[in-house]
Amino acid sequence: MTANLDRKGTFKVEYLQKIEQDVQERWERDKIYEEDAPTEPRKSVDEKFFTTFPFPYMNGRLHLGHTFSLSKCEFAVRYQRLKGKRVLFPFGFHCTGMPIKACADKLTREMESYGFPPKFPSDEPQTPTEIVNDLVIKDKSKGKKSKAVAKAGSAKYQWQIMQSLGLADDEIKLFANSLHWLDHFPPLAVKDLLSIGMHVDWRRTFITTDANPFFDSFVRWQFLRLRDKAKIKYGKRYTVFSPRDNQPCMDHDRSTGEGVGPQEYTLIKMKLLEPYPNKLRGLTGQPVFLVAATLRPETMYGQTNCWLHPDIRYAVFLTVDKEVFVCTERSARNMAYQGFTPDDGVLEVMFYVTGQEMMGCGLQAPNSPNPIIYTLPMLSIKEDKGTGVVTSVPSDSPDDYAALMDLKKKPPFRQKYGVTDEMVLPFSPIPIIDVPDFGTLSAVTVYDKLKIQSQNDKEKLQEAKELVYLKSFYDGVLTVGKYSGKKVQDIK
């Protein structure tokens, strides 16, 4: 036998694999990993041992990471069984949640858009460049790719991902039915686990979802008991939500945006003063508000104007309180899921209006010492951030001060957007926060210190924000309002 083991080629591997196969067949024949319920009372507190493993998700095949983690359960099970204990190791497969439904829907959309089998565009997918303009503390422990991206590899379309699993086109189309995933991947997982000799009682394997009435009843029972004991209640919570799939979109379910969570803003309602501009003239007599989203509500004492992007199309919609809001359609849709509209999740846009069509309108801003402020143009506003309506506090925002100075120093700029002198020239920064080293007009101080010339000095403005924002928040002391004399971070 020793001579045979020394032979070259694959004989040694095949010999060891044959031993493995024979032993696994013996385990299967003797049912050593099956454990029935005891027929007699327990004699000692440690005569039984139970282990389980987090249900692997069934939107693909198992991988080496599962094997590594499962080995810990496997070693414990075999060790405890050798000690003579009654050992139980059931196994479940996770089939609930968004990933399977999202993948099935993607396949449906790809067939609708590109036919069957799909003929995808030949252009190479472009990786967007991330431009960081905001001061956000990054969590370096977070991975750069989500699990969805890791599984996708270089594939751009869901169909291509399925092809990478060795599936033919005729079979891939079946996966457009989300239930087909439940029939396809769990048996393959069992086959793979059997191949490594897992000591699982396969009589006790199951899938989640209501396709399994027993597990579904078990979960229902748990939640009903918790509800009866007032441990849980039905309600809403803030989360990243997919309107297309009509359910929350958890971190690892996303192809992009892992680590992104809900961002809480304070909504600032700036009342539009009559006479309304022509596009809004039909709303005369109704309360109309331009709504801005801010992370710094304590700075509202320093509002001097409101910024709009001339080219952005803003949505006009009626709220549940019979007020008319004006903001980007994206932010209006978010509000529809937060109780702002008569029907939850339903946004009915009355009409659209561009920023230019509202330029120079008079507003009444809460907490501002100015009885009236005006809408002015800012070209750096992004449609996918906040509400597209930006309240201006030039005393503490370098961007706001730079934009205001541009309008003051450049009459042609004002004329281009139909802004008159009285809408700009009388307004100056209002001191509201005393910041160590920068005084009560921190944005103005840093603007002058860095010799910023205009709102186009992007790099200098970014540096200015880095100098001002964090110091203002952590060390700044409010000098106005009922919290005057207190640190900003304490009143936040």
Side-chain angles (χ1 to χ4, degrees):
M1 181 178 293
T2 303
N4 288 338
L5 289 176
D6 290 335
R7 289 171 58 183
K8 295 182 179 180
T10 60
F11 177 79
K12 183 184 293 187
V13 174
E14 292 170 354
Y15 175 77
L16 295 173
Q17 289 176 335
K18 181 64 168 60
I19 295 175
E20 180 183 39
Q21 182 179 350
D22 290 343
V23 172
Q24 289 179 1
E25 288 176 356
R26 181 176 177 180
W27 290 341
E28 171 65 25
R29 185 172 61 252
D30 295 342
K31 308 297 183 184
I32 66 168
Y33 38 73
E34 294 185 2
E35 194 66 53
D36 295 326
T39 57
E40 298 178 358
R42 185 172 60 181
K43 297 178 181 179
S44 66
V45 295
D46 63 345
E47 68 181 29
K48 296 190 293 185
F49 183 80
F50 175 86
T51 188
T52 187
F53 182 78
F55 310 156
Y57 201 81
M58 290 290 98
N59 63 339
R61 298 292 294 268
L62 299 182
H63 52 72
L64 189 59
H66 290 111
T67 308
F68 174 77
S69 300
L70 275 165
S71 66
K72 297 171 175 57
C73 292
E74 182 74 355
F75 295 159
V77 162
R78 297 192 189 203
Y79 174 70
Q80 297 295 336
R81 185 170 281 126
L82 287 172
K83 292 180 68 175
K85 295 184 180 181
R86 303 176 66 92
V87 177
L88 180 60
F89 186 7
F91 207 91
F93 299 104
H94 189 193
C95 300
T96 53
M98 184 174 180
I100 287 177
K101 178 66 165 58
C103 291
D105 290 345
K106 285 180 183 178
L107 292 173
T108 299
R109 291 193 293 268
E110 288 172 8
M111 285 190 286
E112 291 173 350
S113 300
Y114 304 109
F116 172 78
K119 303 294 182 184
F120 298 115
S122 58
D123 58 311
E124 293 294 326
Q126 299 294 317
T127 302
T129 301
E130 182 180 2
I131 301 175
V132 180
N133 289 322
D134 297 318
L135 299 177
V136 180
I137 299 174
K138 303 290 185 180
D139 184 351
K140 295 183 179 180
S141 67
K142 294 287 185 180
K144 294 183 179 179
K145 293 183 178 180
S146 68
K147 288 185 177 179
V149 171
K151 286 185 177 181
S154 60
K156 180 180 180 181
Y157 299 98
Q158 184 63 39
W159 201 278
Q160 295 169 336
I161 297 172
M162 306 304 287
Q163 288 176 326
S164 71
L165 298 175
L167 297 170
D169 288 337
D170 285 335
E171 188 171 9
I172 293 175
K173 69 179 181 181
L174 301 177
F175 287 87
N177 179 354
S178 58
L179 293 177
H180 185 70
W181 297 71
L182 281 59
D183 297 327
H184 182 84
F185 285 112
L188 292 177
V190 172
K191 180 181 177 182
D192 290 339
L193 294 171
L194 284 171
S195 71
I196 60 173
M198 291 293 296
H199 275 216
V200 169
D201 188 344
W202 292 110
R203 301 172 304 171
R204 302 175 187 272
T205 187
F206 58 90
I207 62 171
T208 60
T209 76
D210 54 6
N212 179 348
F214 303 102
F215 184 83
D216 187 59
S217 296
F218 170 60
V219 173
R220 286 177 181 272
W221 175 84
Q222 286 181 314
F223 276 90
L224 289 173
R225 297 291 80 74
L226 290 170
R227 185 193 64 181
D228 293 344
K229 294 179 179 294
K231 300 296 184 182
I232 59 172
K233 64 180 181 179
Y234 182 81
K236 289 186 175 184
R237 63 182 176 87
Y238 293 111
T239 185
V240 176
F241 185 82
S242 170
R244 174 175 282 176
D245 298 291
N246 197 36
Q247 61 181 359
C249 185
M250 297 296 98
D251 218 27
H252 289 160
D253 298 345
R254 308 175 205 148
S255 57
T256 59
E258 185 175 16
V260 175
Q263 174 64 66
E264 182 179 359
Y265 287 96
T266 298
L267 204 62
I268 307 299
K269 295 167 55 178
M270 292 177 283
K271 182 175 176 60
L272 185 64
L273 300 178
E274 297 186 13
Y276 293 166
N278 290 335
K279 196 67 179 285
L280 299 172
R281 194 65 55 82
L283 299 174
T284 298
Q286 291 182 259
V288 178
F289 296 90
L290 273 64
V291 287
T294 182
L295 299 173
R296 299 289 303 275
E298 72 280 358
T299 66
M300 294 304 99
Y301 295 104
Q303 295 175 89
T304 59
N305 60 278
C306 168
W307 301 116
L308 298 175
H309 194 298
D311 301 326
I312 285 181
R313 188 180 72 159
Y314 294 88
V316 180
F317 70 100
L318 189 66
T319 71
V320 70
D321 295 324
K322 306 300 182 183
E323 297 174 337
V324 177
F325 277 12
V326 182
C327 57
T328 58
E329 186 171 10
R330 174 182 177 275
S331 60
R333 186 178 297 110
N334 281 339
M335 293 183 209
Y337 286 93
Q338 300 178 59
F340 281 82
T341 55
D343 297 316
D344 187 61
V346 178
L347 173 65
E348 294 184 1
V349 178
M350 300 168 67
F351 56 90
Y352 297 94
V353 57
T354 66
Q356 182 57 52
E357 290 171 321
M358 297 185 289
M359 207 61 67
C361 289
L363 301 172
Q364 192 175 62
N367 289 347
S368 174
N370 295 303
I372 181 172
I373 65 173
Y374 295 94
T375 54
L376 303 176
M378 178 181 269
L379 305 182
S380 59
I381 294 175
K382 297 177 181 178
E383 194 167 359
D384 61 352
K385 181 179 178 182
T387 64
V389 178
V390 180
T391 186
S392 175
V393 184
S395 59
D396 290 81
S397 168
D399 282 333
D400 291 344
Y401 184 66
L404 183 62
M405 291 304 294
D406 281 358
L407 282 168
K408 285 193 171 190
K409 293 186 295 185
K410 302 173 182 178
F413 191 34
R414 299 198 295 272
Q415 295 170 7
K416 178 180 179 180
Y417 294 103
V419 175
T420 61
D421 291 354
E422 57 269 20
M423 298 175 183
V424 178
L425 299 183
F427 295 90
S428 299
I430 303 168
I432 56 172
I433 299 176
D434 189 5
V435 182
D437 301 329
F438 299 137
T440 56
L441 297 174
S442 57
V444 179
T445 300
V446 176
Y447 178 93
D448 294 335
K449 180 180 179 180
L450 297 180
K451 295 181 171 57
I452 296 173
Q453 298 301 313
S454 76
Q455 57 187 311
N456 295 322
D457 289 345
K458 303 298 183 184
E459 293 184 3
K460 288 186 177 181
L461 281 171
Q462 182 64 24
E463 182 181 355
K465 286 187 286 187
E466 291 172 358
L467 289 170
V468 169
Y469 282 174
L470 293 181
K471 193 171 184 63
S472 173
F473 179 78
Y474 289 110
D475 299 326
V477 175
L478 201 63
T479 61
V480 295
K482 67 177 182 179
Y483 295 109
S484 178
K486 294 185 178 181
K487 278 194 170 185
V488 171
Q489 66 169 331
D490 294 333
I491 64 175
K492 185 71 172 180

